[in-house]
Amino acid sequence: MRGTANPRLMLMILSAVFAFLYIPISVLFALSFNEGGLPTAWTGFSVKWYGALFRNGDIMGAALNTLIVAVVSTIMATILGTLLAVGVEIRRRKGRFLETIIFAPMIIPDIVLAIALLSFFSLLNVTMGLHTVIVSHVVFNLAFVCSVVRARLKTFDWSIVEASTDLGAPMPVTLWRVVLPVMMPAVIAGALLAFTLSLDEFIIAFFTAGAGRDSITLPMQIFAMIRFGVTPEINALAAIVMTVSVVILAISQRLNRGGLPGQ
């Protein structure tokens, strides 16, 4: 197929796909620097909407909530996901049923998982708030961290674990001094991926946040603002969120592919 494919046709298809994906994002970035108040008509270059964005108390409060949720849920999901990946690989338990259980949160639609979590919290009579959003994001991110770490462990030389055990090191010491340093790039990559997913997640947070502004995250704030129309502030906010997400994902992919920079 490679020899018979038309290179010009393939280039046209690729260009069309990239244009479809990135032209709307480019327009959003450009309009975030629009001087006028109209969000869709260019009137001149200005960064004043970024200043107005950082002076908006509601947006800053939502950004702080998002940061708290992302940091705490990432730490918890990274620890649990790493332990889960190591435990599965050490015990060599494989099978479709086990894989389904581990990676179910990645496959289940967000709306279904959100309803399930809402029903679970309601059944336990748990008061909704930022803590329920954090727990929900841990459940959501756990499978992603486990998947990234397990991909690293597929090429792990388990003979060094046996050597460490033969030399008298207990298993906790072996995990800390031998296994963890080798898979650290994957752990960091999984953590960055979990942080990005938590930063952008809306549906699960919307269902499990409860009432009140104390638990509103940034995606929820954006949704509330766009119901009254798109403003230059929203364009600026979306540009910042997009930039942060892309940078973190790029670092995550770099770590997961080639290890830590300089190694």
Side-chain angles (χ1 to χ4, degrees):
M1 292 180 62
R2 182 179 299 178
T4 59
N6 189 331
R8 182 174 298 180
L9 177 61
M10 298 301 296
L11 180 60
M12 292 175 59
I13 295 175
L14 185 62
S15 301
V17 171
F18 276 104
F20 179 77
L21 290 175
Y22 293 110
I23 285 180
I25 298 176
S26 301
V27 172
L28 182 146
F29 269 84
L31 290 177
S32 69
F33 296 100
N34 186 17
E35 183 179 6
L38 296 177
T40 57
W42 180 263
T43 58
F45 181 86
S46 176
V47 295
K48 67 178 182 180
W49 299 114
Y50 286 88
L53 176 66
F54 288 106
R55 290 191 298 269
N56 190 314
D58 292 339
I59 293 178
M60 290 297 100
L64 178 60
N65 290 338
T66 299
L67 188 61
I68 293 173
V69 171
V71 170
V72 177
S73 64
T74 295
I75 294 174
M76 297 175 63
T78 301
I79 295 173
L80 296 176
T82 301
L83 292 176
L84 177 61
V86 173
V88 171
E89 288 298 320
I90 288 179
R91 293 182 177 273
R92 300 294 199 276
R93 291 180 177 177
K94 302 182 184 299
R96 293 182 178 179
F97 181 71
L98 180 60
E99 297 290 334
T100 301
I101 293 177
I102 294 175
F103 300 117
M106 298 174 59
I107 303 171
I108 297 175
D110 288 356
I111 184 68
V112 176
L113 183 60
I115 294 174
L117 289 168
L118 175 62
S119 302
F120 176 74
F121 291 136
S122 299
L123 182 64
L124 298 180
N125 293 322
V126 176
T127 303
M128 301 293 181
L130 211 60
H131 57 286
T132 53
V133 179
I134 292 174
V135 173
S136 301
H137 279 200
V138 171
V139 175
F140 175 69
N141 289 326
L142 185 62
F144 290 94
V145 175
C146 180
S147 175
V148 174
V149 176
R150 284 193 67 191
R152 181 77 171 186
L153 291 176
K154 294 296 183 182
T155 59
F156 184 78
D157 185 7
W158 291 99
S159 63
I160 62 176
V161 177
E162 298 175 358
S164 176
T165 305
D166 292 340
L167 292 174
M171 184 55 67
V173 175
T174 300
L175 291 176
W176 179 256
R177 300 293 297 272
V178 178
V179 178
L180 186 59
V182 174
M183 65 179 187
M184 184 56 69
V187 174
I188 298 176
L192 292 175
L193 177 61
F195 183 83
T196 303
L197 294 173
S198 181
L199 195 69
D200 297 338
E201 203 284 320
F202 166 73
I203 297 178
I204 296 176
F206 182 80
F207 274 77
T208 59
R213 293 206 55 86
D214 292 339
S215 57
I216 290 182
T217 62
L218 199 55
M220 295 170 61
Q221 179 66 31
I222 295 174
F223 175 76
M225 293 173 64
I226 62 174
R227 288 186 299 175
F228 302 99
V230 179
T231 65
E233 284 182 303
I234 296 180
N235 289 334
L237 179 58
I240 293 175
V241 173
M242 178 66 66
T243 302
V244 172
S245 300
V246 170
V247 170
I248 294 177
L249 278 176
I251 296 174
S252 174
Q253 291 296 319
R254 172 66 178 87
L255 292 175
N256 195 34
R257 183 177 65 251
L260 290 170
Q263 290 188 347

